Amino acid sequence: METALDQLLSAALTDLETIPDAKALESARVKYLGKKGSLAALAAGMRDVPADQKKSVGQKLNDVRSAITARLEAARTNLQAAADSHALDGIDSSLPGRTAFTGGLHPLTLILDEAVSVLRRLGFAVAEGPEIETEFHCFDALNTPEDHPARNEKDTFYFETGELLRTHTSSVQIRTMETAEDTPLRIIAPGSAFRRDEIDATHLSSFNQLEGLYVDEKVTLADLKGTLEYFFHCLFGKATEIRFRPHFFPFTEPSYEIDIRLEAKGKQPKWIEIAGCGIVDPAVFEAVCQSRGDHLFDPERVTGFAFGMGLERLAMIRWGISDIRLLIENDIRFLKQFA
Ligand code: DAH
């Protein structure tokens, strides 16, 4: 019996040295350790072993089983390692990996986030208004008379109801003053505006504006200048030159256009118009008082400043984008540069 066990062990060990694949491994396991395998057959002979040898023969039987089991395990590990290394054939694992493309924010979103965060620091809260507006909120309350060109059918998208796609975000000034509970009031209103414009390198018929309004007792032109100078310095750098050029808007008096001086490399520096602003016209406060039916915005008590600018223009200046249409074409080659 012991000799038979020794023979079995050495045969099994030799056999297991050259296992080519998983299938051969499984049949070797069945052959030696299976219920009807060689070891089981020998174990059946235990009953013929004399009593005084049963213990040592039994021990040997167990040792042989363990040795074969261990060898089978080792063969399994070797096969797996070989398969793994085969899987890497032809792959140079020292090459840098490919980064997953994670996408990024659109330049308009980037500039908006930045603008809003600067103005929030100064105490302005974000306000909203509808894109389909009444003529009252878009024009009349903003002291814009019937014959003003902004109201022209040719420049504006009217509905049959008399409502229109707002031509500017200034309507949000009126909306927020109508519902304000108290002063001071400091709001910014980012959002879409619409005009019947021919689309070209600097015009879109649907674009974005950022409106601002500050109302309190004794708001002055100095507050307006300080706020907007700080704002543009945050956006374009402290060295950026800014000028306030007298202008006309129906809803502010005095009114200004703000220009910034652009110094692109290799080009003649030039002033570019970037925003409109001014001191809120008392006629606007009067319209709000009438609409509210109270005196919270009595022009004898409060003054204010307002400003409005195009977000596309801000982005174009910030990143030197030469054609506004790039901002709506969703060309990945363009957008990637901001991701
Ligand atoms: N609403 C003006 C426009 O669309 C921009 C503007 C100018 C807004 C002066 C203002 C302002 O609030 O005070 O061209």
Side-chain angles (χ1 to χ4, degrees), residues 40-53:
L42 282 180
M46 273 299 282
R47 63 178 112 84
D48 301 328
V49 173
D52 61 339
Q53 292 172 30

Side-chain angles (χ1 to χ4, degrees), residues 169-241:
T169 45
S170 303
S171 52
V172 185
Q173 292 186 30
I174 305 301
R175 296 242 169 220
T176 44
M177 285 193 278
E178 278 180 328
T179 52
E181 280 171 12
D182 209 349
T183 56
L185 181 66
R186 272 191 215 91
I187 57 111
I188 41 175
S192 303
F194 309 86
R195 287 179 204 170
R196 268 189 210 272
D197 274 339
E198 284 297 328
I199 295 179
D200 61 23
T202 50
H203 294 87
L204 295 175
S205 55
S206 160
F207 58 104
N208 292 274
Q209 287 190 326
L210 178 67
E211 189 79 19
L213 173 70
Y214 174 28
V215 182
D216 199 354
E217 291 169 25
K218 304 193 182 89
V219 175
T220 70
L221 200 54
D223 298 315
L224 165 64
K225 276 196 88 176
T227 303
L228 290 178
E229 260 169 20
Y230 174 76
F231 173 73
F232 287 118
H233 281 158
C234 285
L235 242 53
F236 299 120
K238 268 214 163 115
T240 309
E241 268 186 87

Side-chain angles (χ1 to χ4, degrees), residues 168 170 173 195 209 211 249 251-252 276-278 306-308:
H168 53 183
S170 303
Q173 292 186 30
R195 287 179 204 170
Q209 287 190 326
E211 189 79 19
F249 294 105
F251 32 89
T252 42
C277 64
F307 57 90

Side-chain angles (χ1 to χ4, degrees), residues 84-123:
D84 287 352
S85 82
H86 196 62
L88 289 176
D89 277 358
I91 295 177
D92 181 351
S93 58
S94 69
L95 286 174
R98 257 176 248 151
T99 28
F101 181 60
T102 51
L105 294 176
H106 190 278
L108 279 181
T109 309
L110 292 172
I111 201 82
L112 175 61
D113 285 353
E114 215 175 302
V116 168
S117 96
V118 172
L119 289 162
R120 280 177 59 111
R121 270 205 313 272
L122 296 176

Side-chain angles (χ1 to χ4, degrees), residues 253-267:
E253 180 60 35
S255 305
Y256 302 88
E257 278 193 334
I258 303 174
D259 300 330
I260 72 168
R261 193 171 159 84
L262 270 198
E263 300 194 26
K265 259 194 207 125
K267 283 195 187 156

